[in-house]
């Protein structure tokens, strides 16, 4: 049972989490569920992100605007999110964070592509760590040292098996820092580290807090013994096969985004061109549909996932054509080489590993650029 003074600690101020976990929590509250308040923690020293902390502390909450196509028709609604009670900076509010961590029921995070990196300075225990993994290690050690109960981690970073990865980073760091054997055992066996997958396009931040996002959302969480979620929601799925969800998102939606970004870059597109504008071009849409039908779908069929992939492709194309979201291809192109290796190269390696022959000439050429 969740204690009455429990909180959910969220590491990361991203617009994505505002329009996903924070919004889900607000909608669960509206459905009369008892949901602990969320405290958002800024893990970086970015002054622009620090401005969001003011919005998180506003009792009136912040708006999340959902705009897009739903069941073939335009859809728009605004939710005032009041599930967040305050925002903290790990750098300047560490004592307060230590106190709150003792009461946390769940830890949510989305710290970006490099969020699990650990700088050399954090390899040694210090008063105020600078990286998320070192912060989490120190906070968990504090909780353990005061006799706190185990806690559940719900990471939302786009890392394969993110819960397992985060646990490995934290336990390895704790061992390197010379932490107690009892603490290491507590981390490994008592705390829960859930593997999750998040899926929602959040195209625009609002100031000082809030976001514009599409109606579609998914939070798939791998089922494991003792796992209890802080709330339920229609877009939260507990599953025994998280890999299927990961493959669909990574190799259809993300692959499609990178295919469009590559086409935009090679064609010398304007800096403000959007996914929506790209899909409005008949030739671009036809070529993307061809790649999906002739290369992506057969790849999923090689793993017995043709029906699921066909439905997800149709949904993805509808999401890409969302008339309300300005999702810029220049933003998607950031870190392009690494994204291509993961989204396209990873798909090719997965399909080739099935033992079946799928040609995929355009995707293979894109992976080799």
């Amino acid at each position: 049972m969740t204690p009455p003074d429990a909180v959910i600690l969220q590491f990361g101020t991203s617009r994505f989490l505002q329009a996903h976990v924070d919004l889900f929590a607000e909608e669960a509250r509206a459905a009369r569920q008892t949901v602990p308040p969320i405290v958002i923690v800024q893990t970086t020293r970015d002054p622009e992100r620090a401005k969001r902390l003011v919005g998180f502390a506003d009792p009136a909450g912040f708006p999340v605007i959902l705009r897009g196509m739903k069941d073939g028709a335009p859809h728009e609604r605004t939710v005032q999110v009041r599930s967040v009670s305050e925002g903290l900076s790990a750098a300047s509010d560490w004592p307060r964070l230590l106190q709150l961590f003792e009461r946390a029921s769940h830890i949510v995070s989305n710290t970006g592509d490099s969020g699990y990196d650990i700088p050399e300075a954090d390899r040694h225990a210090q008063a105020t760590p600078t990286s998320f993994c070192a912060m989490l290690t120190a906070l968990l050690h504090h909780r353990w040292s005061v006799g706190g109960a185990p806690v559940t981690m719900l990471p939302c970073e786009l890392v394969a098996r993110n819960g397992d990865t985060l646990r490995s980073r934290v336990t390895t760091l704790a061992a390197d820092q010379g932490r107690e054997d009892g603490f290491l055992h507590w981390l490994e066996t008592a705390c829960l580290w859930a593997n999750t997958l998040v899926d929602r396009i959040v195209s625009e931040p609002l100031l000082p807090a809030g976001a514009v996002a599409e109606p579609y959302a998914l939070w798939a969480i791998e089922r494991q013994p003792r796992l209890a979620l802080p709330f339920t929601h229609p877009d939260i799925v507990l599953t025994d096969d998280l890999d299927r969800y990961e493959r669909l998102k990574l190799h259809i939606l993300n692959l499609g985004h990178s295919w469009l970004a590559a086409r935009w870059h090679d064609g010398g597109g304007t800096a403000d061109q959007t996914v929506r504008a790209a899909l409005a071009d008949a030739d671009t849409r036809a070529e993307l549909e061809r790649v999906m039908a002739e290369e992506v779908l057969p790849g999923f069929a090689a793993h017995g996932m043709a029906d699921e992939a066909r439905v997800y492709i149709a949904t993805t194309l509808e999401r890409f054509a969302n008339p309300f979201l300005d999702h810029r291809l220049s933003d998607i192109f950031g870190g392009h080489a690494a994204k291509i290796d993961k989204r396209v190269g990873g798909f090719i390696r997965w399909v080739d590993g099935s033992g079946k022959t799928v040609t995929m000439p355009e995707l293979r050429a894109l992976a080799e650029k």
Side-chain angles (χ1 to χ4, degrees):
M1 183 175 178
T2 303
D5 63 345
V7 297
I8 299 169
L9 279 176
Q10 173 181 306
F11 288 83
T13 63
S14 69
R15 67 197 190 203
F16 174 81
L17 285 178
Q18 294 172 55
H20 201 260
V21 176
D22 302 339
L23 175 64
F24 286 0
E26 177 61 34
E27 292 177 327
R29 283 160 41 105
R32 300 188 180 277
Q33 296 181 45
T34 301
V35 182
I38 297 172
V39 177
I40 298 179
V41 181
Q42 181 190 4
T43 60
T44 70
R45 296 176 183 266
D46 184 346
E48 289 302 312
R49 288 182 177 267
K51 294 176 183 178
R52 299 176 182 177
L53 302 182
V54 176
F56 297 149
D58 187 343
F62 54 81
V64 171
I65 303 171
L66 302 176
R67 291 176 177 155
M69 303 299 290
K70 191 171 183 180
D71 300 326
H75 171 90
E76 178 172 346
R77 67 187 178 98
T78 299
V79 179
Q80 196 70 12
V81 174
R82 299 183 180 87
S83 57
V84 176
S85 62
E86 64 179 301
L88 300 176
S89 164
S92 57
D93 299 313
W94 188 254
R96 168 75 172 153
L97 183 53
L98 285 170
Q99 293 176 347
L100 287 173
F101 203 87
E102 296 176 15
R103 296 161 35 199
S105 64
H106 295 78
I107 308 301
V108 175
S109 66
N110 188 347
T111 54
D113 293 340
S114 60
Y116 292 174
D117 293 350
I118 303 171
E120 189 58 35
D122 276 347
R123 298 286 174 184
H124 310 283
Q126 53 180 326
T128 307
T130 60
S131 64
F132 167 58
C133 286
M135 290 176 190
L136 187 57
T137 303
L139 291 164
L140 286 164
H141 185 263
H142 171 76
R143 183 179 176 115
W144 172 80
S145 68
V146 299
V151 66
T152 297
M153 262 63 65
L154 294 168
C156 297
E157 288 82 5
L158 296 178
V159 174
R161 302 201 64 79
N162 46 21
D164 292 344
T165 302
L166 182 59
R167 176 176 55 195
S168 176
R169 296 291 174 89
V170 169
T171 54
T172 299
L173 178 60
D176 290 346
Q177 292 177 342
R179 304 284 191 178
E180 300 89 337
D181 289 343
F183 174 57
L184 298 178
H185 181 75
W186 184 78
L187 289 177
E188 286 277 12
T189 64
C191 293
L192 293 180
W193 309 76
N195 293 306
T196 84
L197 173 78
V198 294
D199 189 358
R200 169 169 258 165
I201 298 171
V202 183
S203 63
E204 181 184 347
L206 299 176
L207 299 176
V212 180
E214 64 174 341
Y216 178 92
L218 172 69
W219 193 6
I221 302 172
E222 187 175 62
R223 189 179 282 108
Q224 62 172 287
R226 299 188 291 118
L227 177 63
L229 302 181
F231 50 82
T232 62
H233 188 277
D235 295 324
I236 296 177
V237 176
L238 276 173
T239 177
D240 293 317
D241 191 358
L242 188 65
D243 183 67
R244 297 176 84 85
Y245 290 94
E246 291 177 336
R247 293 292 180 182
L248 290 166
K249 178 177 185 287
L250 183 63
H251 301 319
I252 295 177
L253 183 134
N254 296 144
L255 179 149
H257 271 155
S258 287
W259 183 92
L260 287 169
R263 184 180 175 94
W264 162 82
H265 181 263
D266 293 346
T270 61
D272 60 350
Q273 187 175 7
T274 63
V275 171
R276 167 171 51 87
L279 263 287
D281 176 74
D283 289 342
T284 298
R285 180 166 186 131
E287 282 298 297
L288 179 58
E289 289 178 344
R290 182 191 58 76
V291 169
M292 290 291 177
E294 297 179 5
E295 302 195 20
V296 173
L297 186 58
F300 276 94
H303 281 274
M305 294 178 61
D307 290 343
E308 294 163 84
R310 190 175 290 107
V311 171
Y312 195 81
I313 287 170
T315 300
T316 296
L317 291 173
E318 182 178 68
R319 294 167 69 187
F320 281 2
N322 186 335
F324 303 105
L325 293 189
D326 294 324
H327 198 185
R328 294 184 301 177
L329 290 167
S330 57
D331 291 341
I332 295 170
F333 194 77
H336 183 67
K339 289 177 179 177
I340 287 292
D341 179 66
K342 185 175 181 181
R343 300 171 177 186
V344 181
F347 181 61
I348 292 167
R349 293 188 290 271
W350 179 61
V351 173
D352 288 348
S354 71
K356 299 178 181 178
T357 300
V358 183
T359 55
M360 302 182 289
E362 183 167 343
L363 292 180
R364 291 184 190 278
L366 180 58
E368 292 172 1
K369 280 188 177 181

